Amino acid sequence: MSDVALKAKPEAAAEGESQNLTDGFNLIIDALKLNGLNTIYGVPGIPITDFARMAQAEGIRVLSFRHEQNAGYAASIAGWLTKKPGICLTVSAPGFLNGLTALAHATTNCFPMILISGSSEREIVDLQQGDYEEMDQLAIAKPLCKAAYRVLHAQDIGIGLARAIRAAVSGRPGGVYLDLPAKLFGQVIDAEAGRKSLVKVIDPAPAQIPGPDAVARALDVFKSAKRPLIILGKGAAYAQADDSIRQLVEKSGAPFLPMSMGKGLLPDTHPQCAGAARSTVLKDADVVLLIGARLNWLLSHGKGKAWGEPHSKKFIHIDIEPREMDSNVEIAAPLVGDVGSCVDALLKGMGGNWAKAPADWMAAVTKKREENVAKMAPRLMNNNVPMDYHGALGVLRQVIKERPDAILVNEGANALDLTRGIIDMYSPRKRLDVGTWGVMGIGMGYAIGAAIETGKPVLAIEGDSAFGFSGMEIETICRYNLPVCVVIFNNDGVYRGTDLNQSGGSDPAITMFVKGARYDKMIEGFGGVGVNVTSPDELRQAVNAAMDSGKPTLINAVIDPAAGSESGRIGNLNPQSKLKKK
Ligand code: OXT
Ligand code: ADP
Ligand code: MG
């Protein structure tokens, strides 16, 4: 921690009072650094510009974005990757609101993040007298995050940040809002009192050990399985209990199904991986062990046709949040605790003589998996022009195979669903995507956050629509010279580029973009490398060059506008009118 001695001269010192003073600016910086929070993602402006300048001067890495939402997504993924809250800094009202979507996204996805926003004069805001950017930000943030706090006095900054950190990372992680009114920054207090007021948070996310009865119950149910299945969610990846999870899976001999951001916890090429036999394992398993994955829409709520109902499946559920149990279906063996402690307790209980899952079950899963892989294989080898998704992804799959440490960011509809299925992941926390809400717009923020936090090369595979939500941040990528290669699957629109305006009028159809757009030209304007490719061979060359050079690159990959389908793999969620068309 830097000394809380004066860095910028607070006002009172000029008036000849004590020289040993500090102020809100310095205390916030010192509190962040004391807790190892050394990176801020944000957008400057009133009232936080000087704060951000001083933070940079004091050695905090401050990344300036073009829009707060993207800074917020960067902070949210930084939290997931590091288990420390990612920090997003915004100005008041509009900047705060721009950051709020990302805060809600962090909360929904259980990523630890703190949105710190400057705010206007409390007295004027509360009397609604029309201050500059007047808004009751605390009240608005509350329903969208785990906790929301406001600090009014400089001596409370240390406690305020400590509360925010604990709320973000303890128990189920999530988003926290910290409201800092403009007046707070300039408040001056005695430097020694200020130093003493800071809090270094000890053990911010304490282990949550499962009860012995719950462990014994879970083992009983698991042992009774004839067709066990282990589902690995993004909570399992977040926990960073990678070795224990691998041991549990291998000891059990059961097939495992990785959720999208759980991919790579064990390699997708592992003999027990059931990613390519998804329908079969969900339908036929008799005991399902969920590790850090919720039975939400992405798992058909644990019921219905996808789960082979009527059935007599039993669920064992590991989650840190007790209220997640029985949220959608009855959980036979709830195991409440942190993933690392729960998995270690199961491993201990399994001992050295645990009988592996019946061989005929694993054989049935392997058969289905091999059939699906074989069906897909020829499609991935094509060198067609115009390119289809499979031809392009066949190339990108090889790029990741050769660089298993690279981070893959992915959003879109077809561009998302086909990438998830086709590109194998080999190592944990390398696949970052739209998450629980299916949000378009995470792309460039995630790419920047991942490059900054991990120092690894990033490949972002983006639908052309998805990219548009955060596209301006390619300037940010160029400005910080980050090793990010963006591949835009350009099929002229949302889902497809072939829609017609059903009125017959001259406006384009609602899902259509400018035909033949050249996104590669955008990055050239900022000094990055832009490439236009029309075949898988050209794509291979361009991506390899980008990943090898580490230069900010944007590849416009021209995809057949007719290749996609409505909403990718989730077209069934679109409501349709049963009435006849007019
Ligand atoms: O077992 P079976 O036989 O069933 O086979 C399965 C697997 O076993 C098999 N498989 C494999 N086979 C062979 N080899 C391998 N390696 C392999 N791996 C798997 O393949 C099948 C399918 O497997 P999968 O995918 O795992 O299974 P399934 O059944 O699909 O899984 C179900 C789900 C629900 C878990 C899965 O589909 C999933 O995770 N889906 C996530 C979907 C999602 O979140 N989508 C994003 C939102 S869509 C929409 O909302 C969009 N918007 C609106 C919008 C949004 N979202 N946000 C905001 C802020 N504003 C607006 C917009 C604007 S998308 C969108 C833009 C789209 O246009 P773009 O231009 O960006 O993109 P393009 O579509 O490319 O044009
Ligand atoms: P996915 O979308 O991959 O299925 P979800 O976001 O639905 O994953 O579920 C993640 C779950 O993981 C959440 O219910 C969350 O409470 C839980 N979780 C997060 N961190 C931990 C942890 N360290 N230990 C146990 N559970 C955790
Ligand atoms: Mg598209």
Side-chain angles (χ1 to χ4, degrees):
M1 171 203 157
S2 67
D3 194 351
V4 195
L6 230 56
K7 291 177 200 112
K9 220 173 181 187
E11 285 162 25
E15 290 158 16
E17 294 171 16
S18 163
Q19 285 299 304
N20 295 323
L21 297 175
T22 188
D23 62 5
F25 287 104
N26 286 287
L27 286 166
I28 302 162
I29 292 166
D30 289 329
L32 288 168
K33 287 171 76 176
L34 181 63
N35 285 289
L37 300 174
N38 297 315
T39 307
I40 292 176
Y41 302 92
V43 176
I46 299 169
I48 48 107
T49 315
D50 263 359
F51 168 71
R53 277 198 189 105
M54 288 171 68
Q56 188 176 48
E58 288 301 313
I60 290 185
R61 185 129 198 230
V62 184
L63 284 300
S64 270
F65 282 65
R66 304 299 293 261
H67 190 289
E68 292 86 351
Q69 190 174 106
N70 306 317
Y73 288 139
S76 77
I77 207 65
W80 188 71
L81 287 167
T82 64
K83 297 184 91 172
K84 288 196 298 194
I87 305 292
C88 176
L89 178 69
T90 79
V91 303
S92 31
F96 156 77
L97 286 173
N98 284 345
L100 205 52
T101 310
L103 185 69
H105 167 80
T107 307
T108 301
N109 283 277
C110 315
F111 298 166
M113 164 182 170
I114 303 175
L115 174 68
I116 300 180
S117 296
S119 58
S120 303
E121 298 296 334
R122 283 261 37 93
E123 294 82 350
I124 304 179
V125 172
D126 288 346
L127 277 171
Q128 298 175 31
Q129 293 173 313
D131 202 2
Y132 169 74
E133 295 190 352
E134 176 178 295
M135 175 172 278
D136 188 356
Q137 297 170 195
L138 189 72
I140 289 165
K142 262 183 191 161
L144 297 170
C145 57
K146 251 185 104 177
Y149 306 106
R150 175 182 293 134
V151 181
L152 289 173
H153 303 294
Q155 59 267 32
D156 292 332
I157 286 170
I159 287 293
L161 187 69
R163 300 213 72 186
I165 292 170
R166 281 200 187 277
V169 297
S170 63
R172 169 181 277 175
V176 175
Y177 175 60
L178 191 60
D179 191 88
L180 303 183
K183 266 190 198 166
L184 177 78
F185 292 91
Q187 273 181 33
V188 172
I189 62 170
D190 176 74
E192 180 59 10
R195 191 185 63 75
K196 284 190 180 150
S197 73
L198 299 185
V199 177
K200 181 165 170 50
V201 179
I202 296 161
D203 196 10
Q208 284 185 224
I209 317 283
D213 292 357
V215 175
R217 191 185 304 116
L219 285 168
D220 278 350
V221 175
F222 203 35
K223 197 181 280 173
S224 72
K226 296 200 170 49
R227 296 179 305 282
L229 169 67
I230 298 174
I231 298 184
L232 302 173
K234 57 173 139 25
Y238 172 79
Q240 298 191 14
D242 310 338
D243 286 347
S244 299
I245 290 171
R246 176 189 267 270
Q247 275 183 51
L248 177 81
V249 169
E250 291 183 344
K251 197 175 219 180
S252 75
F256 70 92
L257 179 67
M259 300 299 287
S260 200
M261 284 173 62
K263 274 167 77 89
L265 258 171
L266 285 88
D268 284 334
T269 48
H270 190 284
Q272 287 167 255
C273 181
R278 186 175 196 272
S279 303
T280 302
V281 287
L282 292 187
K283 191 162 53 62
D284 294 343
D286 62 350
V287 171
V288 181
L289 168 57
L290 293 154
I291 308 184
R294 287 170 284 189
L295 283 173
N296 58 14
W297 71 281
L298 290 156
L299 282 170
S300 310
H301 303 279
K303 52 196 168 191
K305 223 170 94 194
W307 288 87
E309 269 188 358
H311 64 67
S312 53
K313 281 188 214 307
K314 287 194 172 140
F315 290 96
I316 308 165
H317 196 167
I318 296 179
D319 204 289
I320 203 156
E321 171 57 60
R323 286 176 302 175
E324 194 54 44
M325 305 299 145
D326 306 321
S327 60
N328 284 269
V329 294
E330 180 185 68
I331 301 299
L335 202 49
V336 175
D338 69 277
V339 163
S341 301
C342 291
V343 170
D344 284 346
L346 288 181
L347 274 171
K348 196 165 164 219
M350 286 163 92
N353 299 318
W354 186 265
K356 280 200 189 320
D360 58 342
W361 167 233
M362 199 56 241
V365 174
T366 305
K367 181 165 174 284
K368 179 66 193 173
R369 165 187 158 152
E370 284 172 356
E371 279 168 16
N372 272 350
V373 168
K375 224 187 294 167
M376 174 106 80
R379 302 187 68 188
L380 302 179
M381 317 270 281
N382 85 64
N383 194 32
N384 294 346
V385 178
M387 266 190 291
D388 58 26
Y389 289 93
H390 286 82
L393 284 166
V395 165
L396 298 178
R397 165 187 161 103
Q398 188 63 22
V399 168
I400 292 293
K401 188 174 179 186
E402 287 162 11
R403 296 171 184 78
D405 238 18
I407 307 265
L408 176 64
V409 171
N410 186 206
E411 60 178 336
N414 297 282
L416 173 85
D417 290 337
L418 292 166
T419 302
R420 182 182 60 249
I422 292 170
I423 298 197
D424 288 329
M425 303 306 297
Y426 300 89
S427 137
R429 294 171 295 282
K430 297 294 183 292
R431 186 187 151 82
L432 314 177
D433 70 21
V434 298
T436 306
W437 268 350
V439 181
M440 297 302 111
I442 49 90
M444 297 304 102
Y446 272 23
I448 294 167
I452 293 289
E453 299 294 335
T454 68
K456 298 194 187 307
V458 176
L459 174 64
I461 302 179
E462 302 272 312
D464 50 342
S465 163
F467 172 73
F469 288 73
S470 67
M472 193 63 211
E473 303 297 346
I474 55 167
E475 187 276 330
T476 314
I477 290 170
C478 290
R479 187 167 12 112
Y480 291 98
N481 194 25
L482 298 174
V484 175
C485 171
V486 182
V487 175
I488 298 184
F489 280 181
N490 185 357
N491 62 349
D492 295 340
V494 179
Y495 312 138
R496 269 189 310 262
T498 51
D499 234 0
L500 294 174
N501 175 343
Q502 293 176 13
S503 79
S506 61
D507 276 355
I510 55 147
T511 55
M512 298 284 290
F513 295 157
V514 166
K515 281 205 171 294
R518 291 288 302 273
Y519 293 95
D520 50 310
K521 299 277 181 201
M522 287 173 67
I523 198 167
E524 288 175 358
F526 303 114
V529 179
V531 191
N532 186 56
V533 301
T534 56
S535 72
D537 277 349
E538 287 173 7
L539 178 62
R540 178 182 303 109
Q541 248 177 3
V543 179
N544 280 327
M547 299 299 279
D548 290 344
S549 72
K551 286 188 192 146
T553 302
L554 193 155
I555 299 168
N556 185 58
V558 181
I559 298 283
D560 180 353
S565 56
E566 177 100 354
S567 300
R569 294 270 308 167
I570 56 171
N572 59 310
L573 297 182
N574 284 307
Q576 284 184 345
S577 172
K578 293 196 178 59
L579 302 178
K580 276 202 180 130
K581 278 186 193 150
K582 279 185 193 151

